[in-house]
Amino acid sequence: MNNQYWQKARQSRDARFDGLFYVAVKSTGIYCRPICPAPTAHEKNVLYYQYAHNAAQAGFRPCIRCRPDSAPGSAAWLGVKTTALRAKQLIDLGENDNCEILATRLGITSRYLRRIFNQHFGVSITQYRLFNQCQFAKKLIQETTLPITDIAFAAGFKSVRRFNDAFLQQLHLAPSTLRKTKKESSPVIILTLPFRPPYNWQALHSFLSKRLISPMEWITPNSYGRTFKLNGAVGHFNAHFKAKNNHFKVEIVIDNTEHLHKVINNIRRVLDVDADINHIETHLKGSINGAFNLSEGLRLPGIWSSFEAGIRAVLGQQVSVAAAHTLVTKLLAERGDQHADKIYFPQPEDLATCDFEFFKMPQSRKNALKNLSKYCADNPENSLLDNWLEIKGIGPWTVNYAKLRGQSNPDILLAGDLGVKKALVNTQQFNPELSAPFRSYLTFQLWQQLS
């Protein structure tokens, strides 16, 4: 993108560009989202930045009116696929590992990681992590009733004093200026998750409704919710679709707010709010060459974890969606984790010793469920799902389904899926490989042809 392109997007206040760049106004010292409702500044007073942290680093403070901290994020696949981008993704997801640990996870030296990160993003890893933590804290201060102390720890700080110092340094604001009156604390955390339009809620709602596992999940005409466990934290959320405002209003109940950042990021993934859907659909239209009509605004409906997606995939092998739904519902009834009035999907350790005798299915399928559970219990940090192929009974379709919905990988074509095969029969010929790196969206577009 260039400044002329950004100028047109800013002047039109086009929500499709929200979060893709930021507008700094020299006369006020403030940076905004391109959709800011404030009067449009003269172009001579404007500077453009691709990332909010670059605007902050240049000395601009965030607009309190449009709140850059609440802009839609950028999915991990945007831009050049580099190790630096992967590092940024891990930090955005709430990982607080130091540079040495982060470099080890990425298979490079910390010196090299520091160099390429600064090269691509114009800031050090430490500074970016601090900015990211402060942005998250700012959102919590302005949208929730959480006490400042809880917010500091939820954002990953070890002390309130360190939080206050970093907040002032990174955002050029004091936390006290954003919350001048004390708010009465509530067990329900309410915040917004913006998205770039269009967002096809009807299609997402239909897809989730057919696969809804009650009482772990629930759905209304304008909302979706479920229970969850993540890193020891337990809770549930309700996400209300607000078409007019281009966001979800999300209500979260969680027993440990120190894990709140990761929980929110996983909700973002499950609802696919960070997709630049206009860019994706432009690419798909060019790659399918008119073979069929795309459904506008189609998102990837995620599943809470790779493990849950894997188990649901095994139960869905070679059966209809309705039959798979029945099996997953039975699994939840037999082995779901009950707490008070909520029920949670069983964890790997819960199923690693299960014999699955309550299922009327081949023993080989039961063994696959048990072996997958044991593997995930023994390797809780392993995100390389291709390693599942070493497990007897786990094939490429199961692994790819878990990547597609459990990790929201954007480039998975379920070529062996019966629904995809049926849809391809009814379309004109085209080369699906040309749809990379968005073949997951192609998969859902093909499924949509059957509805």
Side-chain angles (χ1 to χ4, degrees):
M1 290 188 184
N2 55 40
N3 283 9
Q4 186 177 9
Y5 189 85
W6 282 336
Q7 179 184 349
K8 291 180 180 178
R10 174 180 77 94
Q11 291 174 343
S12 65
R13 289 193 172 93
D14 193 331
R16 294 176 299 171
F17 297 91
D18 188 16
L20 296 180
F21 70 95
Y22 296 86
V23 181
V25 182
K26 291 181 283 186
S27 57
T28 63
I30 291 172
Y31 71 93
C32 304
R33 296 155 70 178
I35 63 167
C36 185
T40 304
H42 293 296
E43 189 63 25
K44 64 180 182 180
N45 292 326
V46 167
L47 294 173
Y48 296 100
Y49 294 93
Q50 183 174 359
Y51 301 109
H53 68 262
N54 294 140
Q57 191 180 32
F60 294 95
R61 64 184 185 277
C63 175
I64 296 179
R65 189 170 181 182
C66 70
R67 298 187 43 230
D69 55 279
S70 289
S74 295
W77 37 261
L78 288 179
V80 182
K81 290 187 176 180
T82 65
T83 303
L85 191 66
R86 174 60 178 155
K88 180 180 181 295
Q89 178 200 18
L90 290 172
I91 297 171
D92 289 342
L93 291 174
E95 299 292 344
N96 290 320
D97 295 335
N98 61 38
C99 188
E100 283 68 27
I101 296 176
L102 193 59
T104 300
R105 292 180 64 177
L106 296 169
I108 58 175
T109 65
S110 58
R111 182 178 179 182
Y112 179 63
L113 176 58
R114 289 188 181 94
R115 180 165 66 82
I116 62 172
F117 195 93
N118 196 291
Q119 174 187 333
H120 283 280
F121 304 114
V123 68
S124 71
I125 288 178
T126 299
Q127 287 296 103
Y128 180 72
R129 180 183 286 111
L130 283 173
F131 177 82
N132 200 52
Q133 290 174 268
C134 292
Q135 282 276 81
F136 177 65
K138 180 176 178 291
K139 183 176 179 67
L140 296 182
I141 291 172
Q142 292 189 274
E143 293 191 23
T144 76
T145 61
L146 285 171
I148 295 294
T149 300
D150 288 355
I151 289 174
F153 290 116
F157 291 95
K158 302 302 181 184
S159 72
V160 176
R161 180 178 179 180
R162 174 61 177 143
F163 164 64
N164 287 329
D165 291 343
F167 200 94
L168 183 60
Q169 178 194 41
Q170 293 296 318
L171 302 184
H172 313 289
L173 292 167
S176 58
T177 64
L178 300 176
R179 185 183 285 181
K180 296 182 179 179
T181 58
K182 187 176 180 180
K183 297 182 179 180
E184 186 176 346
S185 184
S186 167
V188 181
I189 299 167
I190 302 174
L191 41 76
T192 61
L193 298 183
F195 53 79
R196 300 179 192 95
Y199 193 111
N200 195 330
W201 167 251
Q202 290 73 25
L204 187 80
H205 183 279
S206 176
F207 185 90
L208 293 174
S209 295
K210 294 174 183 176
R211 295 159 178 81
L212 197 77
I213 308 302
S214 180
M216 181 185 75
E217 300 175 288
W218 48 91
I219 201 163
T220 73
N222 292 300
S223 71
Y224 167 75
R226 65 161 292 156
T227 61
F228 63 79
K229 288 187 175 183
L230 183 66
N231 292 352
V234 177
H236 60 272
F237 74 86
N238 286 293
H240 303 268
F241 181 70
K242 303 292 183 180
K244 185 178 179 180
N245 303 109
N246 297 323
H247 71 235
F248 281 91
K249 177 184 175 183
V250 182
E251 302 162 341
I252 303 171
V253 174
I254 186 172
D255 66 344
N256 186 345
T257 54
E258 290 189 27
H259 299 291
L260 181 59
H261 199 176
K262 290 184 179 181
V263 166
I264 292 172
N265 281 322
N266 213 33
I267 297 172
R268 298 180 74 96
R269 180 189 64 78
V270 167
L271 298 173
D272 198 16
V273 296
D274 292 328
D276 185 356
I277 203 67
N278 298 283
H279 175 68
I280 293 169
E281 290 176 359
T282 297
H283 179 77
L284 291 183
K285 285 177 183 177
S287 68
I288 66 174
N289 197 28
F292 62 93
N293 293 323
L294 294 180
S295 296
E296 189 179 64
L298 208 60
R299 306 296 173 122
L300 302 182
I303 290 176
W304 188 257
S305 71
S306 298
F307 172 69
E308 181 181 334
I311 293 295
R312 292 171 75 155
V314 172
L315 293 175
Q317 290 174 359
Q318 300 176 340
V319 298
S320 67
V321 171
H325 176 270
T326 299
L327 291 173
V328 181
T329 300
K330 186 169 184 61
L331 174 67
L332 193 71
E334 294 285 346
R335 298 301 300 247
D337 191 4
Q338 184 87 35
H339 283 294
D341 61 337
K342 302 293 182 184
I343 191 165
Y344 303 83
F345 195 84
Q347 300 299 292
E349 55 272 20
D350 299 329
L351 300 181
T353 57
C354 180
D355 56 17
F356 298 99
E357 288 302 315
F358 46 84
F359 282 141
K360 294 180 180 179
M361 61 173 58
Q363 186 61 42
S364 59
R365 182 89 38 101
K366 297 177 184 178
N367 291 341
L369 291 168
K370 184 174 182 177
N371 292 338
L372 176 60
S373 300
K374 187 176 188 309
Y375 178 87
C376 291
D378 293 341
N379 302 276
E381 300 298 325
N382 194 334
S383 61
L384 300 176
L385 302 193
D386 285 334
N387 292 338
W388 290 7
L389 294 172
E390 300 175 6
I391 303 170
K392 189 174 181 180
I394 303 298
W397 185 90
T398 298
V399 169
N400 283 334
Y401 188 87
K403 288 180 180 179
L404 179 71
R405 298 199 60 205
Q407 293 184 330
S408 299
N409 185 314
D411 197 28
I412 301 296
L413 177 66
L414 287 184
D417 182 80
L418 182 59
V420 170
K421 289 180 177 179
K422 286 182 177 179
L424 286 172
V425 169
N426 297 324
T427 66
Q428 298 178 31
Q429 283 195 334
F430 69 98
N431 183 1
E433 297 302 313
L434 297 178
S435 295
F438 304 124
R439 286 175 292 182
S440 295
Y441 292 88
L442 175 62
T443 296
F444 277 90
Q445 288 285 352
L446 289 169
W447 279 341
Q448 192 69 11
Q449 303 303 306
L450 304 175
S451 59

